[in-house]
Amino acid sequence: MPAVKAANPRSIFAPEDWAAITRVSPWLGIWQIVHAWAVVAIAAFGTAWAWEQNWLAGLVATPIALALLGGRQLGLAILMHDGAHGLLHPSRQLNNWLGQWPSGAATGSDLHAYRAYHLTHHKFTQQPEDPDLSLSKPFPTSSASLWRKAVRDLTGQTFFKQRSHQFAAALRGLKAMLRGETGSSEDKRDTSAGRALNLQSRSGIDAPVANIEGAKTTARTVARFLLVQLVLLAISLSVWGWLPFVLWLVALATTFQLFLRIRNIAEHACTTTGSDDPFSHARTTYAGLIERATVAPYWVNFHSEHHLFMGVPCYSLPRAHTLLGKGGYHAKMTIEPNYWSVLRRVTASPTA
C-alpha cells in the first residue's frame, strides 16, 4: 500500500514557531537520561532504606518503587526512541551513543536496528507494511482478554517469553561469530533495516531472527544489556546490597512490561488511521502526574504530534500540541482525556 500522507508544517506553523519546536537542545536530552537514572536510584535505594527502618515501611514502599522503576525503564526506552530520530543531541555521534548505551542497552534494545524498523512504522502507519501493526490490530478486545495480558505482564510471563526468545537468538549469533559464519548481502541489508529485530516489541525484544546477521546483532544487543545489568549490580552491592538491583530486575520483568503494553495500546489501537489523513495516524492522550510517572514518561503521550512531525523532540511536543490547538487542529485529531478512557475504548464492543 502507499505510504501514509505526511503533514506539511509550513501550512500549519509560523516559521519562528516551527524553528523553535524542532530545535534539538545540546543538554535537555542528556538531562532527561540523568533524570531517569536519578529516579531509578532514589526509588531503588530509598526502598532498601525503608526496609531497613521497618518491615511495614518496606511493604508500603516496594509497590511504589516498582511502579516508579517500571516507569523510568519505559522512559529510557522512550529516550532511545528519541535517539532513533536523532533528537537526543545535535551531534549525531553523541546522539547515537546516548541512545545506544545509557538508554537503549538498559532494557535490551539496539538503537540502529530499531531506527530503520521504526521509520518503517512511520512510513506505513497502520498499513499492512507497518511492523507495529500487530500491537494495535487485535483491538478492540474483551476486558477479560486485556486482564489476562496484564496478569501475564505482572507475573513475569511476558518477560520470560520475550527474553528467552532474545537470548536464544543471541546464542545462535554468538555461535555464528565463534565459527566465523557470515550471512548473505541480503541478510546484512535486512539487519541494517531492522527487519531481523524489533518486529514484535517497541522495547526491541521478543524478536524473531531470520538470518545469521540478525542473530549476531541480537548477540551484541544482549551483550550490552548484560553489561549494563552487571554495572547496576556492582553499584547496588557496593552501595547497599542486593535489594536495589533486585527491585530493578523485578520491575523490568513486571511493571515495565505492563506499562509498555498500555503505552502501545494508547498510541494506535482503535484509531481511524487512513493514509490520506495525517491527523488520524495516532492518538494523543492527556496524562496526569501518576500517568507521567508510569505509562507516559517524557511526553510520549503526545503521540499524534510525534507522528505529524517526527522531527520535534519529546520536550517540545506539548508546545506543538498547544500550537495545533490554537490553529484549530485538535478537532481533526484523536485525543483522549486519560489512559483509563483509552482502555475503556479498546475493550468496548465494535458496535458500541
Side-chain angles (χ1 to χ4, degrees), residues 9 117 131 230 301:
Y117 148 84
L230 286 174
N301 52 302

Side-chain angles (χ1 to χ4, degrees), residues 26-309:
W27 62 271
L28 278 178
I30 295 173
W31 161 245
Q32 289 172 327
I33 293 174
V34 171
H35 173 269
W37 283 109
V39 174
V40 166
I42 292 170
F45 289 108
T47 302
W49 175 83
W51 275 104
E52 284 197 357
Q53 303 309 302
N54 182 280
W55 66 269
L56 183 58
L59 282 178
V60 172
T62 296
I64 297 173
L66 293 178
L68 291 174
L69 288 168
R72 286 315 100 180
Q73 288 164 346
L74 176 58
L76 289 168
I78 289 164
L79 293 175
M80 181 215 57
H81 160 269
D82 252 36
H85 285 282
L87 302 175
L88 281 178
H89 197 275
S91 164
R92 183 173 179 83
Q93 183 177 6
L94 183 54
N95 173 86
N96 288 349
W97 184 85
L98 291 168
Q100 186 76 300
W101 280 100
S103 53
T107 58
S109 299
D110 179 82
L111 174 78
H112 302 287
Y114 177 84
R115 173 176 285 143
Y117 148 84
H118 183 64
L119 293 180
T120 302
H121 161 67
H122 274 273
K123 185 177 181 180
F124 297 106
T125 307
Q126 297 292 90
Q127 308 301 309
E129 298 87 349
D130 181 0
D132 269 353
L133 189 60
S134 62
L135 299 173
S136 58
K137 190 175 181 179
F139 297 94
T141 188
S142 67
S143 296
S145 175
L146 190 59
W147 274 112
R148 286 193 296 270
K149 292 178 175 65
V151 168
R152 289 197 295 270
D153 292 340
L154 289 177
T155 55
Q157 296 176 62
T158 306
F159 175 84
F160 179 78
K161 178 183 177 181
Q162 291 180 341
R163 296 297 169 177
S164 61
H165 290 172
Q166 187 187 36
F167 277 58
L171 180 60
R172 177 185 171 192
L174 178 60
K175 290 178 179 178
M177 291 177 184
L178 295 175
R179 294 169 181 166
E181 296 179 41
T182 58
S184 66
S185 58
E186 185 65 29
D187 287 349
K188 293 179 180 180
R189 282 196 295 273
D190 284 349
T191 301
S192 66
R195 296 301 299 172
L197 289 171
N198 306 305
L199 290 181
Q200 295 182 20
S201 171
R202 284 292 184 86
S203 62
I205 55 182
D206 191 20
V209 175
N211 54 59
I212 293 173
E213 295 303 321
K216 289 181 179 179
T217 299
T218 306
R220 289 187 285 267
T221 301
V222 168
R224 284 190 296 271
F225 171 72
L226 292 178
L227 180 58
V228 170
Q229 308 316 305
L230 286 174
V231 170
L232 294 177
L233 175 59
I235 293 172
S236 178
L237 291 174
S238 63
V239 175
W240 207 283
W242 287 94
L243 185 54
F245 178 73
V246 169
L247 289 167
W248 160 271
L249 203 59
V250 170
L252 194 64
T254 58
T255 52
F256 168 65
Q257 300 294 155
L258 178 63
F259 297 162
L260 181 67
R261 184 183 299 278
I262 294 172
R263 185 207 109 177
N264 286 336
I265 290 171
E267 289 178 348
H268 295 287
C270 298
T271 58
T272 56
T273 301
S275 60
D276 293 329
D277 182 7
F279 286 90
S280 69
H281 294 168
R283 175 187 286 111
T284 283
T285 306
Y286 293 135
L289 179 61
I290 293 176
E291 291 165 315
R292 294 198 302 272
T294 54
V295 298
Y298 305 119
W299 304 282
V300 72
N301 52 302
F302 292 102
H303 200 62
S304 183
E305 291 78 5
H306 172 63
H307 267 261
L308 284 166
F309 317 107

Side-chain angles (χ1 to χ4, degrees), residues 284-341:
T284 283
T285 306
Y286 293 135
L289 179 61
I290 293 176
E291 291 165 315
R292 294 198 302 272
T294 54
V295 298
Y298 305 119
W299 304 282
V300 72
N301 52 302
F302 292 102
H303 200 62
S304 183
E305 291 78 5
H306 172 63
H307 267 261
L308 284 166
F309 317 107
M310 62 180 177
V312 176
C314 64
Y315 43 80
S316 293
L317 290 173
R319 174 62 176 162
H321 179 76
T322 299
L323 290 171
L324 287 170
K326 290 180 179 179
Y329 291 97
H330 282 183
K332 301 180 65 176
M333 299 165 63
T334 302
I335 301 175
E336 289 287 344
N338 53 60
Y339 279 80
W340 286 114
S341 175

